[in-house]
């Protein structure tokens, strides 16, 4: 341990050790299961990680072994690896492994690197433990006045720049953005199954990068993650989790949040380069499911083709212009359907199916086809790509039952209806919702115009929250069962916009979220 | 039928069924191919009487053939679609833009851009949905060529043709760059089969060998070269495949290794020349 603590701007070194008795260490290790702990220990002893996770070893010359030592130290990492392999084969408790790690093989402390690996292991074991929000990296217009800060930076809508991302450069410039009075430890890791790069940031509220600053209990809620999807101009940030007692969360939670905000503000600056500035904008998608995140904000074709539009993005469909065979229109009955039809007709002739049963069956079939048309290949129960919460604010006018026939005439008349209403009038805008909307809105201009035209109607405050393991798959099932009329169902119920927060106006989510532009 | 003469290695019934099934599928596809060819032939059309329902099938076959012809030759086609959302703008009318990409002698799944007209008082288009990967700056192109209608006197003009052309070029460039990286790998003997062969006749044939070539950024404009001795190179490609920058780091002295860079490039100004050099060298 160095004798003098000098505040520096450097990041926390990965080799810095934390006392094993520290409650945070115990908490991090306790979260893991026994197999994960053993594989983690084996990984630490792997030669790639060994320099940053040196175990407590015995010198060869020094034979004076402590009789009371419950976990006598080994002589080499190889022998230790053997030890853990044998533990892997044996059955036992998790407690045993944690004891071995904290009071035996790493009794002199676990490095920050090891703690980071343990935390990331927990993330892989429990993929839904973090809540992620997707942000889009957008290029900014070069400042017209480089000296003055008064003009807010504008998003450059005509820029053709795809933001580049280089992990080491990013980390270096992120470090320079962080003030010297807090310290952070960073660790990059490649996600094991998904096309993601995960950066774990651990923030310590101390200007010193010595062991002493780590000796007191620190809060694990000051850890957060940034995920960088491959080849996609998006960043996923994990939400800070409120852990601990409610009273403690009130004070330290807010503090952790502000520390996190410091880093979040640094991210776009770290991505920027001279004469090329970027900013982060929210894309209104928050979910625990990283797979869904990659589907909606990833690098593939599916980003802006959700719901029924997914038929255009499905790469499995062969659609070569050299194919001369007439394509069967989508949703037509294929061979299996025909056979089923034949069988049914046979049954019908035999008098096994009554007229009513057939009607029900036809209705069911139609409902399934409609569901297929509206949802495409998305929102299926077992696909593992579900959002768990969708919040919507309905801003539509209260249905006017007096002009029913007008409604029935369909959307084509919408413009006509707008014109019929008395124009202008001060638009009545509510408080809380509007603040929400202002925050989310990206396309103020044209929405504004629509608002002015229809502003004077009574619009009740309706807030909808869908909650479940896979929200849109649930809605799809309801359509398939015929509970929801799939043909009259508004588009935002199919999840094609790819947002989990939004405001609905004129039956559509405001701001043209689905195009991803 | 099969049970009458059991052959020495008795094929199970499942084998036979699956075999027959594949045969049926093959014959079915052959039948539909022949049907489509016959239906579109001018001589067949003369034989079909005017009142026959076959004529409509023939008509649709002909129109399909024509659109396929446009798709494969022009590679940029328009189509109409409908938005299933009952609240869709403009009663759900959608203008679709289909961009074909030919890569490695095959047509890939086309890329689609679906446009609608959400603005109440103008006929301006807006990108509604699309399947363009995010490494192509679609939003920038849309901002340039399909701006939203301006307010008051500031009228903005949209240029769908230029938008489509530029977008098609960007998509094709992206696929060409990917093809170039694949060609580089092939020329350096890094594709699966070549690598195995090389591994067979000795590992110790020098540290100066390339061990990996891979794209380093989303747009595939930067390519990383990795040598067996840990040297690392970065090549930056321009829009037309010209070599903009090349740097090799590492080597014996550490720092920049200009020697290897010169060796790799050999005066080439184009990535294709680098491929040729690599192929002839290996």
């Amino acid at each position: 341990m160095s004798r003098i603590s000098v505040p520096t701007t450097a990041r926390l070194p990965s080799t810095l050790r934390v006392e094993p008795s520290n409650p945070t260490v115990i908490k991090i290790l306790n979260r893991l299961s026994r197999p994960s702990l053993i594989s983690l220990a084996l990984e630490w002893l792997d030669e790639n990680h060994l320099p940053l996770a040196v175990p407590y070893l015995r010198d060869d010359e020094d034979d004076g072994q402590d009789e009371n030592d419950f976990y006598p130290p080994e002589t080499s990492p190889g022998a230790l690896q053997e030890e853990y392999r044998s533990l892997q084969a044996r059955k036992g408790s998790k407690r045993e492994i944690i004891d071995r790690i904290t009071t035996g093989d790493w009794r002199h402390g676990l490095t920050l690197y090891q703690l980071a690996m343990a935390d990331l292991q927990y993330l892989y074991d429990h993929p839904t433990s973090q809540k992620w929000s997707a942000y889009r990296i957008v290029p900014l217009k070069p400042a017209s006045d480089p000296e003055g800060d008064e003009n807010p930076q504008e998003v450059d809508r005509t820029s053709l720049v795809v933001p580049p991302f280089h992990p080491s450069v990013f980390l270096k410039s992120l470090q320079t953005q962080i003030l010297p009075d807090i310290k952070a430890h960073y660790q990059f890791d490649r996600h094991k199954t998904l096309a993601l790069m995960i950066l774990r940031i651990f923030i310590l509220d101390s200007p010193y990068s010595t062991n002493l600053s780590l000796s007191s209990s620190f809060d694990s809620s000051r850890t957060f993650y940034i995920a960088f999807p491959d080849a996609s101009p998006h960043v996923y940030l994990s939400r800070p989790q409120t852990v601990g007692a409610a009273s403690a969360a009130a004070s330290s939670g807010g503090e952790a949040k502000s520390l996190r905000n410091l880093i979040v503000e640094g991210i776009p600056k770290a991505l920027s380069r001279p004469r090329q500035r970027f900013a982060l904008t929210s894309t209104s998608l928050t979910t625990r499911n990283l797979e869904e995140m990659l589907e909606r904000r990833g690098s593939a074709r599916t980003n802006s083709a959700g719901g029924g539009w997914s038929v255009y993005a499905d790469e499995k469909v062969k659609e070569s212009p050299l194919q001369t065979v007439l394509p069967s229109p989508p949703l037509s009955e294929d061979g299996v359907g025909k056979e089923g039809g034949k069988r049914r007709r046979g049954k019908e002739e035999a008098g096994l199916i009554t007229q009513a049963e057939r009607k029900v069956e036809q209705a069911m079939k139609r409902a399934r086809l409609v569901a297929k048309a509206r949802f495409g290949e998305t929102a299926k129960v077992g696909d593992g790509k579900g959002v768990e919460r969708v919040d919507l604010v309905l801003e539509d006018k209260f249905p006017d039952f007096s002009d029913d026939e007008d409604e029935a005439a369909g959307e084509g008349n919408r413009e006509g209806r707008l014109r019929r209403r008395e124009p202008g009038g001060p638009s009545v805008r509510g408080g809380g919702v509007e603040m929400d909307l202002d925050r989310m809105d990206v396309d103020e201009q044209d929405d504004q115009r629509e608002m002015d035209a229809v502003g004077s109607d009574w619009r009740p405050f309706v807030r909808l929250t869908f909650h479940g393991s896979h929200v849109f798959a649930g809605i799809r099932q309801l359509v398939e069962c015929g509970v929801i009329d799939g043909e009259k169902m508004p588009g935002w119920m199919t999840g094609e916009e790819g947002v989990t927060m939004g405001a609905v106006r004129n039956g559509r989510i405001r701001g043209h979220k689905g195009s991803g532009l | 039928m099969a049970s009458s003469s059991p052959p020495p290695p008795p094929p199970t019934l499942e084998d036979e069924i699956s075999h027959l099934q594949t045969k049926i599928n093959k014959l079915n596809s052959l039948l539909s191919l022949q049907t489509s060819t016959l239906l579109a032939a001018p001589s067949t059309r003369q034989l079909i009487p005017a009142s026959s329902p076959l004529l409509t099938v023939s008509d649709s076959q002909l129109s399909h053939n024509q659109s396929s012809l446009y798709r494969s030759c022009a590679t940029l086609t328009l189509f109409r679609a409908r938005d299933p959302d009952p609240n869709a703008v403009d009663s759900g009318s959608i203008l679709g833009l289909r961009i074909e990409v030919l890569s490695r002698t095959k047509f890939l799944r086309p890329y689609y851009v679906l446009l609608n007209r959400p603005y109440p008082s103008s006929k301006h288009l807006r990108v509604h949905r699309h399947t363009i990967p995010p490494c192509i700056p679609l939003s920038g192109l849309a901002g340039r060529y399909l701006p939203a209608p301006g307010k008051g006197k500031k009228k903005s003009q949209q240029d769908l043709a230029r938008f489509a052309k530029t977008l098609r070029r960007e998509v094709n460039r992206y696929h060409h760059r990917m093809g170039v990286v694949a060609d580089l790998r092939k020329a350096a003997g890094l594709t699966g089969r070549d690598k195995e062969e090389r591994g067979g006749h000795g590992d110790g044939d020098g540290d100066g060998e390339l061990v990996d070539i891979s794209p380093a950024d989303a747009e595939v404009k930067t390519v990383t070269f990795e040598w067996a001795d840990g040297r690392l190179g970065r090549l930056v490609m321009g829009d037309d495949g010209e070599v903009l920058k090349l740097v090799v780091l590492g080597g014996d002295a550490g720092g920049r290794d200009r020697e290897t860079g010169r060796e790799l490039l050999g005066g080439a100004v184009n990535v294709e020349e680098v491929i040729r050099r690599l192929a002839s060298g290996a």
Side-chain angles (χ1 to χ4, degrees), chain A residues 157-159 162 298 301 304 309 311 314 317 319 321 323-324 326-327 411 415 443 489 491 496 507-508 512 514-515, chain B residues 61 64 68 71 83 85-87 89 109-112 114 120 126-131 134-135 139-140 144 218:
Chain A
R157 292 193 182 281
T158 56
S159 162
V162 176
R301 301 174 180 225
S304 315
W309 305 100
V311 291
D314 193 357
V317 178
E319 208 188 344
Q323 174 68 270
T324 54
L326 260 185
E411 264 312 293
E415 278 178 44
D443 232 302
M489 177 179 69
E496 61 184 60
R508 299 183 303 275
H512 309 283
S515 63
Chain B
Q61 179 68 49
H64 172 71
S68 290
R71 277 179 59 196
D83 194 338
D85 186 353
N87 300 319
V89 290
R109 180 92 215 261
Y111 288 105
Y112 294 96
L114 302 153
R126 197 196 146 93
V127 175
H128 182 47
R129 299 279 186 269
H130 66 89
T131 65
C135 50
S139 58
R144 279 183 193 195

Side-chain angles (χ1 to χ4, degrees), chain A residues 157-169:
Chain A
R157 292 193 182 281
T158 56
S159 162
L160 299 184
V161 177
V162 176
F165 170 65
H166 299 292
S168 54
V169 178

Side-chain angles (χ1 to χ4, degrees), chain A residues 36-351:
Chain A
S36 306
L37 276 169
I38 295 175
S39 68
L40 194 63
L42 283 171
E43 245 180 281
W44 289 340
L45 295 168
D46 189 84
E47 56 180 313
N48 292 332
H49 304 293
L50 197 60
L52 294 172
V54 183
Y56 185 78
L57 297 175
R58 174 160 52 100
D59 287 335
D60 279 337
E61 309 94 61
D62 177 26
D63 258 358
Q65 228 187 73
D66 193 353
E67 303 280 300
N68 298 329
D69 202 344
F70 196 66
Y71 299 105
E74 294 286 344
T75 48
S76 74
L80 212 49
Q81 267 184 339
E82 283 305 308
E83 191 67 38
Y84 277 99
R85 286 225 178 81
S86 71
L87 280 173
Q88 204 165 25
R90 237 179 19 235
K91 272 192 177 169
S93 71
K94 179 171 93 175
R95 196 69 251 159
E96 175 195 14
I97 310 288
I98 294 178
D99 268 354
R100 190 176 170 101
I101 288 172
T102 54
T103 62
D105 300 324
W106 281 279
R107 66 185 76 175
H108 56 341
L110 278 87
T111 59
L112 284 177
Y113 183 77
Q114 283 174 292
L115 289 183
M117 273 177 82
D119 245 6
L120 285 167
Q121 180 68 41
Y122 179 76
L123 187 65
Y124 297 138
D125 289 350
H126 304 84
T128 53
S129 61
Q130 291 289 335
K131 205 172 194 181
W132 302 91
S133 309
Y135 290 84
R136 192 181 161 82
I137 308 167
V138 289
L140 293 173
K141 273 188 186 148
S144 49
D145 178 17
E147 301 300 319
D149 281 22
E150 67 270 16
N151 54 335
Q153 283 169 308
E154 239 183 297
V155 173
D156 191 355
R157 292 193 182 281
T158 56
S159 162
L160 299 184
V161 177
V162 176
F165 170 65
H166 299 292
S168 54
V169 178
F170 171 78
L171 212 54
K172 219 170 169 182
S173 31
L174 183 62
Q175 177 59 39
T176 60
Q177 298 296 326
I178 289 174
L179 300 174
D181 62 341
I182 55 165
K183 284 275 161 284
H185 174 253
Y186 311 94
Q187 174 139 338
F188 264 113
D189 200 47
R190 180 97 210 147
H191 196 283
K192 282 183 179 118
T193 48
L194 303 173
L196 280 176
M197 192 82 126
I198 292 186
L199 173 65
R200 174 190 183 265
I201 301 182
F202 162 72
I203 309 166
L204 189 67
D205 193 11
S206 155
Y208 307 110
S209 51
T210 56
N211 295 17
L212 202 60
S213 60
L214 285 168
S215 59
S216 63
S217 165
F218 43 85
D219 199 346
S220 64
S221 69
R222 287 177 191 171
T223 305
F224 75 97
Y225 303 88
I226 310 174
F228 298 92
D230 290 357
S232 173
H234 292 96
V235 181
Y236 315 152
L237 299 181
S238 78
R239 285 272 176 102
Q241 285 173 315
T242 45
V243 283
S247 57
S251 60
S252 76
E255 202 181 316
K257 219 174 169 183
S258 68
L259 288 178
R260 176 182 174 270
N261 284 348
L262 272 180
I263 303 234
V264 168
E265 274 168 33
I267 293 172
K269 289 173 188 153
L271 284 165
S272 301
R273 294 192 289 193
R275 308 194 137 262
Q276 213 179 75
R277 297 274 148 206
F278 295 107
L280 293 186
T281 55
S282 166
T283 60
S284 311
L285 176 65
T286 302
T287 172
R288 290 177 181 278
N289 192 334
L290 272 178
E291 223 172 303
E292 159 78 7
M293 209 65 149
L294 274 178
E295 175 102 357
R296 293 256 157 264
R297 305 280 184 267
S299 61
R301 301 174 180 225
T302 46
N303 278 7
S304 315
W309 305 100
S310 61
V311 291
Y312 288 106
D314 193 357
E315 296 210 37
K316 273 176 241 151
V317 178
K318 292 270 181 295
E319 208 188 344
S320 167
L322 302 180
Q323 174 68 270
T324 54
V325 176
L326 260 185
S328 57
L331 309 183
S332 63
E333 294 183 36
D334 44 10
V336 184
K338 268 183 214 158
E339 259 170 48
K342 243 178 248 169
R343 207 175 303 139
R344 201 184 53 215
R345 231 167 288 137
K347 271 190 194 169
E348 219 172 290
E349 275 160 24

